[in-house]
Amino acid sequence: MASNEFDLIARYFEHQNVNRRDVALAIGDDCALLNVPAGSHLAVSTDSLVAGTHFLADADPALVAHKALASNLSDLAAMGATPAWVSLALTMPTPDEVWLRRFCDGFFALADYFNVQLIGGDTTKGPLSITLTVHGFVPEGQALTRSGANSGDWIYVTGQLGDSAAGLAVLLGEVTVADEALKATLLERHYKAQPRILAGQALCGIASSALDISDGLISDLGHILKRSQLAATVDVDKLPLSAELLAFEPELEKAQQLALASGEEYELCFTVPEQNRGTLDTALAHTGVKATCIGQLRTGTGIKLMRRDELLEWQLHGYDHFAE
Amino acid sequence: MASNEFDLIARYFEHQNVNRRDVALAIGDDCALLNVPAGSHLAVSTDSLVAGTHFLADADPALVAHKALASNLSDLAAMGATPAWVSLALTMPTPDEVWLRRFCDGFFALADYFNVQLIGGDTTKGPLSITLTVHGFVPEGQALTRSGANSGDWIYVTGQLGDSAAGLAVLLGEVTVADEALKATLLERHYKAQPRILAGQALCGIASSALDISDGLISDLGHILKRSQLAATVDVDKLPLSAELLAFEPELEKAQQLALASGEEYELCFTVPEQNRGTLDTALAHTGVKATCIGQLRTGTGIKLMRRDELLEWQLHGYDHFAE
């Protein structure tokens, strides 16, 4: 059993497969020293995952690690940035080696996949939580922001929506799913989202705005509307739903509501001007990611949910940590 | 009472005095977008402060904020870096506005002083803790690392040592100090360390290695020795002790032991080759920081504590989060 902080850090975090040439000094000094390519912005995002709030304390540490890093990388994807480095602040009640080993398995599997190097962090004693700060690059003037959308632009989402919420309901025991294969798939979708890095990069120069869906489409689309000072019309029949979601929730209306409110999807929501729609499919083709048009931006405020020509009066909201 | 995460962030963290020209996009999007000057490394460091481990849950939030940011900036100082930006991950049980307002007072007072801009972060629900990631710049080839020291180099510390440990003992009620002015001074020294940013920058090109004293001199000097593969001799009579420390602990030997083991000092420990000793005082003069030579590096391993020619057999160790 490792008995002190420094041993733990040395043993679990100093050895890794990724050794980037833009890292001049990595773990082990007061700071990491890094090189940002000329002509690129540095893109930085921070996310915390807290046991009891974002994951169950007895969850598989490999899945927790994946979720923490995936959600953070997803913010880089939403800017069209290329991931480079990550800092990890890990707080745990005791230096549990079994937990740490599994955590590292999940963490480095995803970090290696995206060629992301762990450059430092902090290991402290306290209630279990993980805070990651990811760093990436995006060519100057190319970043996808939330504020660039215009009236008339079309609203798209990548992948399929709602599976994460269904997986969470299964995880929390709110719903019983008899079909074991379906249950496993939904849990996997909840925990193991793939950040849309390649899709984000492909959207640079095509999309007018973008963000990742972490608090639910209805809530996150609201951020684009607020920043771009626009309104949106969304056709709920266009929402991309998986076969698994419809097996979990056969009632279409309820499945669509799940898709609108489901948090932690880590799909991208983005807007495309009419003149760029033709190049969108070509640009995304090599990424293996499908995008679906679900609505359109217009002047005004708020989100109108429609089923064809009928205005829906659904009361929905995204995830809010401090909501009563 | 703010009811949701986004309101909180907007109300307390979006408005600040520092607006740096190297911040292309600040709080409010998926990532911050930043520009690193050509010819400079980006220096990055992360620190967590957890209630119950690093501070008492009922501590003045302004002091907690100062301590969190000061300890993180101190890592930049130890590399000779110039601070630029900081990300803040704040986890709290409830959105307590009174606490947040005080926290922001302490945080922005120090951030403004060093022209550091808050560029983003995360606000989550859970046990009270703060994780900061600071970013700064250091010209390529100029950074002070832990590994550059050579046998024969002289060991220096900035400021005075031991006051932080004395303040902590007062804070924890381990010791009763009748003199209210002395008590206030020691508590201030514990909570309100000033990161040695200017001194760190002045040491570039003069010091062969450096770090900041966060876990106690005896422990931190060990990091330089390990990285530089050297041993050290420290003359305990050379340790810079304040009049307040000697009032708190009149027994010299015990005061010296406090100075050796006191964590969270945020003074710099650094090494200087013989040929640079002459320029050291001149370089530090404009910073208002005094440095004291306390010993010398030699070949071998370990730290020898001496009183003049007498080898001391003191058993000391620095702070370790997971020590039994």
Side-chain angles (χ1 to χ4, degrees), chain A residues 3-5 29-30 32 34-35 41-45 48 53 122 125 135 146 211-212 215 227 320-322, chain B residues 3-6 28-30 32 34-35 41-45 48 53 122 125 135 146 211-212 320-322:
Chain A
S3 65
N4 81 46
E5 175 185 14
D29 216 302
D30 294 289
L34 310 157
N35 296 316
H41 287 307
L42 176 70
V44 177
S45 179
S48 294
T53 301
D122 200 4
K125 182 178 178 171
H135 298 78
R146 298 178 175 187
L211 48 55
D212 70 316
D215 296 315
R227 294 269 161 185
D320 175 3
H321 292 297
F322 291 126
Chain B
S3 65
N4 82 45
E5 176 186 15
F6 306 110
D29 216 302
D30 293 289
L34 310 158
N35 296 316
H41 287 307
L42 176 71
V44 177
S45 178
S48 294
T53 301
D122 200 5
K125 182 176 178 173
H135 298 78
R146 297 176 175 188
L211 47 56
D212 69 317
D320 175 1
H321 292 297
F322 291 125

Side-chain angles (χ1 to χ4, degrees), chain B residues 43-213:
Chain B
V44 177
S45 178
T46 295
D47 274 314
S48 294
L49 264 69
V50 181
T53 301
H54 303 88
F55 63 92
L56 302 176
D58 62 356
D60 179 349
L63 295 177
V64 172
H66 179 99
K67 187 174 168 180
L69 185 53
S71 67
N72 216 196
L73 289 173
S74 182
D75 287 315
L76 291 178
M79 302 297 283
T82 303
W85 318 303
V86 63
S87 303
L88 163 65
L90 176 62
T91 301
M92 54 195 314
T94 55
D96 178 342
E97 283 205 45
V98 174
W99 194 96
L100 263 180
R101 197 172 297 122
R102 282 289 296 163
F103 182 87
C104 285
D105 287 347
F107 187 85
F108 287 118
L110 188 59
D112 290 358
Y113 183 82
F114 285 110
N115 196 34
V116 170
Q117 185 167 346
L118 180 67
I119 52 161
D122 200 5
T123 314
T124 50
K125 182 176 178 173
L128 186 61
S129 76
I130 300 128
T131 297
L132 297 178
T133 299
V134 288
H135 298 78
F137 315 132
V138 59
E140 284 174 24
Q142 292 287 304
L144 304 168
T145 67
R146 297 176 175 188
S147 58
N150 292 293
S151 178
D153 289 356
W154 299 93
I155 306 166
Y156 285 80
V157 293
T158 59
Q160 293 164 324
L161 300 181
D163 293 3
S164 177
L168 183 61
V170 172
L171 182 67
L172 296 178
E174 292 170 356
V175 183
T176 308
V177 174
D179 181 339
E180 287 296 327
L182 174 62
K183 189 173 161 179
T185 300
L186 293 173
L187 285 172
E188 174 96 1
R189 298 263 165 88
H190 174 71
Y191 270 121
K192 297 208 71 177
Q194 287 299 319
R196 298 303 195 185
I197 297 293
L198 286 178
Q201 291 166 350
L203 291 173
C204 289
I206 293 174
S208 54
S209 72
L211 47 56
D212 69 317
I213 302 173

Side-chain angles (χ1 to χ4, degrees), chain A:
Chain A
M1 187 72 171
S3 65
N4 81 46
E5 175 185 14
F6 306 110
D7 284 353
L8 276 175
I9 293 167
R11 287 170 63 185
Y12 288 95
F13 296 119
E14 285 199 358
H15 301 287
Q16 50 180 323
N17 295 324
V18 177
N19 286 288
R20 297 174 58 98
R21 295 185 61 180
D22 51 21
V23 176
L25 190 65
I27 295 172
D29 216 302
D30 294 289
C31 296
L33 295 178
L34 310 157
N35 296 316
V36 175
S40 285
H41 287 307
L42 176 70
V44 177
S45 179
T46 295
D47 274 314
S48 294
L49 263 67
V50 181
T53 301
H54 303 89
F55 62 93
L56 302 176
D58 62 356
D60 179 349
L63 295 177
V64 172
H66 179 100
K67 187 174 169 180
L69 185 53
S71 67
N72 217 197
L73 290 173
S74 182
D75 287 315
L76 290 178
M79 302 298 283
T82 304
W85 319 303
V86 64
S87 302
L88 164 65
L90 175 62
T91 300
M92 54 197 311
T94 55
D96 178 342
E97 283 205 43
V98 175
W99 195 95
L100 263 179
R101 197 171 298 120
R102 283 289 296 163
F103 182 86
C104 285
D105 286 348
F107 187 85
F108 287 117
L110 188 59
D112 290 359
Y113 182 83
F114 285 110
N115 195 33
V116 171
Q117 185 167 346
L118 180 67
I119 52 160
D122 200 4
T123 314
T124 51
K125 182 178 178 171
L128 185 62
S129 76
I130 300 127
T131 296
L132 297 178
T133 298
V134 288
H135 298 78
F137 315 133
V138 59
E140 284 175 23
Q142 291 288 305
L144 304 167
T145 67
R146 298 178 175 187
S147 58
N150 292 293
S151 178
D153 289 356
W154 298 93
I155 306 165
Y156 285 80
V157 292
T158 59
Q160 294 164 322
L161 301 180
D163 293 3
S164 178
L168 183 61
V170 171
L171 182 68
L172 297 178
E174 292 171 356
V175 182
T176 308
V177 174
D179 181 339
E180 287 297 326
L182 174 62
K183 190 173 161 180
T185 300
L186 293 173
L187 285 172
E188 175 96 0
R189 299 261 167 91
H190 174 72
Y191 271 120
K192 297 208 71 174
Q194 287 299 320
R196 299 302 194 186
I197 297 292
L198 287 178
Q201 291 166 350
L203 291 173
C204 289
I206 294 174
S208 54
S209 72
L211 48 55
D212 70 316
I213 301 174
S214 53
D215 296 315
L217 175 65
I218 203 85
S219 171
D220 290 312
L221 177 57
H223 296 310
I224 288 182
L225 300 183
K226 192 176 168 191
R227 294 269 161 185
S228 300
Q229 299 188 287
L230 289 169
T233 305
V234 170
D235 184 345
V236 298
D237 282 344
K238 300 277 178 65
L239 291 167
L241 309 181
S242 71
E244 289 82 4
L245 183 69
L246 290 168
F248 171 83
E249 177 50 75
E251 201 174 317
L252 182 62
E253 186 170 313
K254 285 189 179 167
Q256 289 169 334
Q257 291 178 350
L258 268 178
L260 286 165
S262 176
E264 301 171 339
E265 291 283 345
Y266 305 118
E267 296 293 348
L268 301 181
C269 172
F270 59 98
T271 59
V272 178
E274 175 66 30
Q275 68 270 23
N276 292 348
R277 293 185 82 183
T279 53
L280 179 64
D281 288 345
T282 315
L284 285 180
H286 79 282
T287 69
V289 173
K290 194 174 170 298
T292 307
C293 183
I294 60 166
Q296 194 172 19
L297 297 178
R298 50 186 179 78
T299 56
T301 57
I303 301 174
K304 271 190 192 165
L305 296 178
M306 311 288 291
R307 186 184 305 285
R308 285 174 298 273
D309 296 334
E310 175 202 357
L311 180 65
L312 303 171
E313 298 287 352
W314 294 352
Q315 295 302 316
L316 299 169
H317 55 82
Y319 184 70
D320 175 3
H321 292 297
F322 291 126
E324 299 303 306

